[in-house]
Amino acid sequence: MDIIEQTRQLGKAIQQDERYTAYCTAKKNNDDDKELQELIGNFNMKRMDLNNEMSKEDKDTERLKELDNDIKDLYAGIMKNKSMTAFNEAKTAMDSLMSQINNIITASANGEDPETCAAQSSCSGSCSSCSGCH
């Protein structure tokens, strides 16, 4: 079996992992959650309104403040939604799995022993505090 075929086998194994199936289920639940989709739609409309107001030469600071508050409120509602909460948890688990896999592959490509190289990453998932992926 060549390396591409082995990679395809790894892909199949990933798709059978419980973290993958949980991620897919959570994603579908998000898509099917009418309340969440309405919140997201309203959020996107408010963002467009904010962008339009920001692009005006004569900006209405009160309108900007109102739109900013509306966007923050909608975002908070989105993040508190049970479907979104479950999705974020499933996505974090899936991202962690993919990070572990990538770390093993990268370490192996750099000459480390695939059996003993670290699978864990110190990545918190937040790129804002990161100096870059290694």
Side-chain angles (χ1 to χ4, degrees), residues 73-120:
D73 289 344
L74 285 166
Y75 182 78
I78 289 168
M79 297 314 288
K80 288 179 185 174
N81 177 283
K82 68 178 183 165
S83 295
M84 182 58 78
T85 300
F87 173 77
N88 284 333
E89 289 172 4
K91 183 177 182 320
T92 297
M94 188 64 194
D95 288 347
S96 177
L97 172 65
M98 296 308 297
S99 178
Q100 291 175 21
I101 291 168
N102 188 48
N103 286 342
I104 293 169
I105 291 170
T106 301
S108 298
N110 287 329
E112 293 184 40
D113 181 353
E115 295 293 328
T116 60
C117 62
Q120 295 294 342

Side-chain angles (χ1 to χ4, degrees), residues 52-67:
N52 289 337
E53 190 63 40
M54 294 280 292
S55 67
K56 293 180 180 177
E57 282 190 35
D58 187 24
K59 296 173 183 56
D60 181 345
T61 56
E62 284 302 313
R63 177 77 175 135
L64 288 171
K65 190 183 298 185
E66 175 186 320
L67 288 168

Side-chain angles (χ1 to χ4, degrees), residues 127 129-134:
C127 295
S129 63
C130 185
S131 62
C133 294
H134 303 281

Side-chain angles (χ1 to χ4, degrees), residues 1-14 105:
M1 181 179 326
D2 74 355
I3 195 160
I4 299 302
E5 182 57 32
Q6 290 175 336
T7 305
R8 293 184 195 286
Q9 293 301 316
L10 174 60
K12 289 176 185 176
I14 290 169
I105 291 170

